């Protein structure tokens, strides 16, 4: 259970309220990352969307293992929803967004929000992990040499869950939708989603699978797999024109959902 307050940073656009409010959850494998490592992500979101962005610094593993990050992320989202007048001041345009581990947390938050009757206008999922225990070709095809390796991925899972990745570990945790949102029993009624994946990413296929599962459930989905890019491209616009173009598409898609 969440104890105490969570560090956060609020980014405000030049536009005057009411504007959308986006709760942003950083990546880093549930182990790394903070408000500073993802400052450029939040700033760019704020600028491109003309939205208030609330970047949240949730508890990290291995000191705080699952479900600490999930509890923190959802507590932050519900708190912002209850105080939206202090942020974008438009309860009809509240969204949750994240990259990598933060995208997984965002997907979990969107599912829990729907279950609790908390309306969300959109969810942004940039290369999420959606099915830890799944066997996907991209885990092998992109397992080495493309920034995030499959070995590193399993190490992050181990730190987060407190168990060495194995058949038995995934049997214990992999069916929990708070760990593997793709395994949720039902996805209908969830907030419209933007899902972005990268061609050379071990997580590519499960991100694509989640976008397709949402679409089959009747959820509005804007999905694109970006060719030639690796895990981590979001936030690399300053060094990669292709990453900049991908980020621009992602933000434009989210802006369309927010209206």
């Amino acid at each position: 259970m969440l104890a105490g307050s969570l560090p956060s940073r609020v980014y405000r656009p030049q536009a005057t309220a009411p504007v959308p409010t986006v709760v942003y959850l950083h990546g880093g494998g549930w182990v790394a990352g903070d408000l500073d490592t993802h400052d450029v992500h939040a700033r760019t979101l704020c600028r491109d969307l003309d939205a208030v962005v609330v970047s949240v610094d949730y508890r990290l593993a291995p000191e705080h293992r699952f479900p600490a990050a999930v509890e923190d992320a959802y507590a932050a989202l519900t708190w912002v929803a209850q105080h939206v007048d202090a942020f974008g001041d438009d309860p009809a345009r509240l969204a949750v967004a994240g990259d990598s581990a933060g995208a997984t947390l965002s997907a979990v938050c969107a599912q829990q929000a729907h279950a609790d009757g908390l309306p969300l206008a959109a969810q942004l999922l940039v290369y999420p992990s959606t099915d830890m225990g799944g066997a996907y070709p991209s885990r092998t095809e992109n397992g080495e040499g493309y920034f995030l390796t499959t070995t590193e991925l399993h190490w992050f899972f181990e730190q987060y869950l407190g168990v060495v990745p194995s058949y038995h570990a995934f049997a214990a945790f992999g069916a929990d939708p708070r760990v593997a949102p793709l395994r949720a029993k039902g996805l209908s009624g969830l907030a419209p989603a933007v899902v972005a994946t990268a061609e050379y990413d071990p997580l590519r296929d499960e991100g694509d699978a989640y976008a397709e599962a949402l679409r089959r459930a009747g959820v509005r989905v804007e999905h694109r797999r970006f060719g030639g890019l690796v895990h981590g491209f979001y936030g690399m616009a300053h060094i990669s024109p292709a990453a900049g173009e991908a980020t621009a598409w992602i933000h434009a898609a989210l802006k369309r959902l927010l209206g």
Side-chain angles (χ1 to χ4, degrees):
M1 179 177 293
L2 172 64
S5 59
L6 293 171
S8 61
R9 186 176 293 164
V10 180
Y11 301 78
R12 297 185 182 276
Q14 292 183 339
T16 57
V19 296
T21 301
V22 180
V23 174
Y24 185 76
L25 304 167
H26 66 77
W30 307 279
V31 175
D34 57 28
L35 300 179
D36 292 331
T37 61
H38 285 65
D39 177 72
V40 67
H41 305 66
R43 286 180 182 274
T44 308
L45 261 176
C46 175
R47 181 198 67 196
D48 291 354
L49 270 66
D50 278 330
V52 172
V53 175
V54 184
S55 184
V56 178
D57 207 12
Y58 52 88
R59 289 174 292 172
L60 299 175
E63 293 82 3
H64 304 283
R65 290 193 163 109
F66 171 82
V70 171
E71 292 171 347
D72 288 0
Y74 192 62
L77 177 62
T78 55
W79 190 90
V80 170
Q82 292 163 2
H83 300 84
V84 72
D85 57 324
F87 299 102
D89 199 22
D90 188 348
R93 290 192 290 168
L94 174 64
V96 64
D99 67 291
S100 195
T104 306
L105 294 173
S106 295
V108 172
C109 283
Q111 291 184 8
Q112 189 61 53
H114 175 63
D116 291 346
L118 171 62
L120 293 180
Q123 54 179 313
L124 169 61
L125 315 177
V126 181
Y127 35 74
S129 167
T130 66
D131 188 15
M132 282 189 189
Y136 295 95
S138 60
R139 297 272 187 95
T140 302
E141 293 171 6
N142 303 323
E144 293 289 339
Y146 297 111
F147 186 70
L148 175 66
T149 69
T150 299
T151 298
E152 291 169 338
L153 190 64
H154 285 180
W155 183 85
F156 285 127
F157 292 164
E158 179 180 353
Q159 304 311 304
Y160 185 45
L161 300 179
V163 294
V164 176
S166 66
Y167 172 81
H168 295 293
F170 287 135
F173 287 99
D176 189 330
R178 297 174 300 165
V179 171
L182 184 58
R183 301 298 180 106
K185 292 182 179 179
L187 300 175
S188 62
L190 296 185
V194 177
V195 183
T197 58
E199 180 181 8
Y200 298 115
D201 182 355
L203 297 176
R204 179 195 68 205
D205 292 347
E206 60 200 90
D208 291 347
Y210 194 64
E212 181 57 29
L214 289 172
R215 186 176 289 114
R216 288 198 307 268
V219 177
R220 178 181 174 185
V221 180
E222 301 245 10
H223 169 229
R224 186 167 171 183
R225 177 196 288 187
F226 291 96
L229 293 181
V230 299
H231 188 91
F233 74 79
Y234 190 59
M236 293 183 180
H238 60 295
I239 58 173
S240 166
E245 292 172 5
T247 299
W249 182 91
I250 290 166
H251 290 177
L254 182 58
K255 191 169 186 176
R256 285 193 295 272
L257 294 185
L258 291 174

